[in-house]
Every structure is written in structure tokens, then in C-alpha cells.
Amino acid sequence: MPLAHPDTQAPMPLPQATYRGGSGIGMSDRDIDNRQHWFEQRLSPLLDRLYGCALRLTRDPDDAEDIVAEAVGKAWSRLGELRDPQCFDGWLLHILNNVFISEWRRRQCRPQRPATAEDPSPDELDSSTFTLFQQLHQPFLLWWGSLEEQFFNSLLHEDIQQAIDALPDPFRVTMVLVEVQGYSYSEAAHLLGIPLGTVRSRLSRARALLQKTLWEQAGDAGVRPDDGGTGRQRP
Amino acid sequence: MSARPLDCEEVIERLFEYLDRELDERQIADIEHHLARCRDCFTRAQFETRLRARVSAAGTVTAPPRLHQRIRQLLDRFNDGEANTHH
Ligand SMILES: [Zn+2]
């Protein structure tokens, strides 16, 4: 995904027909209408993505709506800074991530709320080498047929969402930036203000934990053969 | 390609960096050379790619009508604000 970082370079103007000049001074009503129309046209197909990413980051529908609204407001007021109109999607998502991260940091600074530990609990350590692939491809299970196929067929959108939401904050946020949104490790490190090595270690733990949760969910759904393979009926 | 071909362990170790597009051209070529010849690693790479696509899709959720309405009001306010400033 092409990312446009709003603060780094001189703004590139939007197409002449929709936007003239950075300050907006001297814009006619028609210019304003065009500019708003341009903004809406691009925002509308992006809203589910913005909301989805916000929801994965915050885990709370109300908070997610708040940060989407704040990001949209910021994007509108900083539209003149958008260098390449083609990068609108990445630019707006980037603003949304920044809105979330500022709020997240602010909340972490509150003394009454315990900071999320970076050190893994013994249980997490246990999970740090877990891979779903190995579980689904154990040699003695081959008689079972394609367990992997069965796993993917029964894997619901909500299962993944729940598994992501269950990750501890720092792991979840890093994973959402890299795996869900496609940021590079160094971009994620820059956004979060953490070293590159921390991004790598958080990602690796996040993946192992996520896969372990999905494996446990698969057991609940009756996909795993050691659960008798009765298979809970899934929609 | 490197002088020495990668073994399975080395490929699996770098698999996520490969999928995350964090490797340079030469490292990518080394991994792909191995994947084209090793069924086990290829199957693993396919699995992780598939799972990853599902994880990425979790970042798209139908925005509730309430949010659409809120954005609508916000956009209308932008328009009023601009109009008032420049009239
Ligand atoms: Zn191999």
C-alpha cells in the first residue's frame, strides 16, 4: 500500500478543478463544493476500512467511531498538505493511526491504568514458538484428510477479529499496523516510537499468540480431531 | 543468488520477513529459489499467505449507520465553515 506521510514534504495540490492554493483564500462557493465533493467521493469507499482498522486498534466501537471522526476532521483541514491525490487512502489511514497512537499514549500515561507489560507472562512464553501450521500438518493426522482445508473453511471473520482483539495492546497494535495495514517494520517503528527490534519481537510474539488462539478456537469449533471431530455446525 | 543455497530452517526463519516484503532482492531470490524446489517450505509459505490474507481482511468492518450519519454531519459542517470563512 502506498503510504503518504502528511508531515514530511511540501504539499502537492489537488487537481485544479477541485482545489486552488493551500490557504483556500479566494475560493469561490463552487470551488468549495468541488473540493468537498472530491473529498466525499474518496472518503465514502474507505469508511469500512477506516472503521475496521480503528476497531481493531481500539477494540471498542465507540472509541473507533471517535477516532474515525477525528481523523476525517483532521484530513479535511489538512487537505492542502496531501501531495499526491492518488495516496489519499494511505494518507487518511496514516492520520487515523496517528490519532489513535496519541490517544493510546495519553491513556498509558495515566497513573491509575497499569502500563501494559512488554515482558511476556510465562503463558505467553509458552506460546512464543507456537505455529498453527505444525498443528495442522502433524504426520499422524494425515489420515484425517486436509485439516488445513477444514480449518480455513470453518474460520470465520469474527474468529480472526476475536483472536486479534485478544492480543495484549502492544502486540495487537504492531500487528494491525504491519499485517492488517501493510506498514513496513521501519514505518511501524517510527509511528510507535520504538526500536526496529521491538517491532520484530512484538510481531513474532503476536503471530504465535494469534495462531495459538485460532487453534484453540478451532478446538471449540470441533475442527481438531482430538475433539472427536464432531464439528460444531457453523453458518 | 547466494553462493550457498538456504536450508529449510533458514527459509522458515525468514519467511515472515519475506511475506512482509522486508528482504532485499537477493534475499528474496534466495528464498524463492528454495520455495520453488521444496514442497514442505512451499506449503508452509502458502499457508501463512492464506492466513495473512484473512488477518488483513479483519481490518475492514461495515461502518455502522450511526458513523455514516456522524461523518455526514461533519462534512456538512466543513462546508458551512468554509462558506462562512470565505463569504
Ligand atoms: Zn524447505
Side-chain angles (χ1 to χ4, degrees):
Chain A
M1 179 203 344
L3 291 172
H5 296 264
D7 301 320
T8 45
Q9 285 177 35
M12 180 196 266
L14 301 180
Q16 284 296 313
T18 56
Y19 179 71
R20 290 196 191 107
S23 64
I25 292 167
M27 283 174 82
S28 68
D29 285 355
R30 191 181 162 159
D31 287 335
I32 295 163
D33 285 348
N34 283 342
R35 192 178 162 203
Q36 193 184 11
H37 181 71
W38 185 92
F39 187 82
E40 278 187 60
Q41 289 290 303
R42 273 143 198 86
L43 176 62
S44 174
L46 191 59
L47 208 54
D48 292 350
R49 186 70 179 159
L50 291 170
Y51 178 68
C53 288
L55 193 56
R56 294 286 78 75
L57 288 168
T58 60
R59 290 191 279 203
D60 179 89
D62 291 338
D63 288 349
E65 289 182 31
D66 286 347
I67 72 165
V68 170
E70 192 177 337
V72 169
K74 281 197 155 115
W76 173 255
S77 66
R78 289 157 63 174
L79 198 53
E81 293 171 28
L82 176 61
R83 287 165 290 137
D84 180 358
Q86 300 296 326
C87 293
F88 181 81
D89 295 10
W91 178 73
L92 186 40
L93 260 172
H94 194 69
I95 293 175
L96 180 122
N97 292 323
N98 274 312
V99 168
F100 166 76
I101 289 165
S102 328
E103 175 62 18
W104 186 42
R105 285 206 184 112
R106 204 174 58 77
R107 287 190 189 191
Q108 279 184 322
C109 287
R110 283 182 200 159
Q112 69 271 24
R113 196 169 185 267
T116 316
E118 187 69 29
D119 293 329
S121 67
D123 185 45
E124 284 168 17
L125 266 181
D126 224 28
S127 314
S128 66
T129 53
F130 184 90
T131 80
L132 201 45
F133 182 80
Q134 279 172 349
Q135 302 299 325
L136 295 170
H137 288 264
Q138 293 171 48
F140 66 86
L141 290 178
L142 284 180
W143 58 270
W144 191 258
S146 177
L147 200 54
E148 180 181 322
E149 241 5 80
Q150 217 178 323
F151 168 76
F152 277 115
N153 288 341
S154 69
L155 186 64
L156 302 178
H157 205 52
E158 297 98 83
D159 294 332
I160 302 251
Q161 289 172 348
Q162 281 172 17
I164 295 174
D165 290 0
L167 294 170
D169 279 0
F171 299 167
R172 190 187 71 258
V173 171
T174 312
M175 184 174 231
V176 169
L177 292 177
V178 175
E179 271 208 17
V180 176
Q181 297 192 30
Y183 275 83
S184 72
Y185 296 176
S186 63
E187 285 169 334
H190 181 76
L191 253 176
L192 295 168
I194 55 175
L196 200 61
T198 309
V199 169
R200 287 177 191 279
S201 64
R202 281 184 186 177
L203 265 181
S204 141
R205 283 189 204 153
R207 282 180 178 128
L209 278 170
L210 181 94
Q211 295 202 359
K212 192 163 189 240
T213 306
L214 291 175
W215 177 242
E216 284 160 4
Q217 288 172 347
D220 295 341
V223 171
R224 275 150 49 178
D226 55 351
D227 295 302
T230 46
R232 185 180 84 196
Q233 274 308 103
R234 314 207 71 171
Chain B
M1 213 188 82
S2 302
R4 185 183 58 82
L6 298 176
D7 62 30
C8 292
E9 203 178 320
E10 289 167 321
V11 169
I12 297 306
E13 237 168 56
R14 317 215 78 175
L15 187 59
F16 283 108
E17 284 171 288
Y18 168 73
L19 298 176
D20 291 335
R21 299 197 187 88
E22 291 288 327
L23 301 179
D24 62 34
E25 267 178 48
R26 187 191 170 137
Q27 292 169 314
I28 291 170
D30 285 347
I31 301 260
E32 288 179 349
H33 178 83
H34 183 98
L35 292 181
R37 284 158 187 80
C38 174
R39 190 176 298 278
D40 285 352
C41 289
F42 178 78
T43 310
R44 172 75 188 273
Q46 291 276 92
F47 173 81
E48 299 297 350
T49 305
R50 209 171 166 192
L51 183 59
R52 207 193 147 85
R54 302 290 293 269
V55 170
S56 178
T60 302
V61 177
T62 306
R66 194 175 65 169
L67 179 59
H68 279 278
Q69 210 178 337
R70 185 167 168 186
I71 298 296
R72 178 77 263 149
Q73 286 167 350
L74 201 59
L75 291 170
D76 289 344
R77 223 177 312 143
F78 295 156
N79 206 6
D80 291 347
E82 294 272 357
N84 291 338
T85 312
H86 301 300
H87 267 209

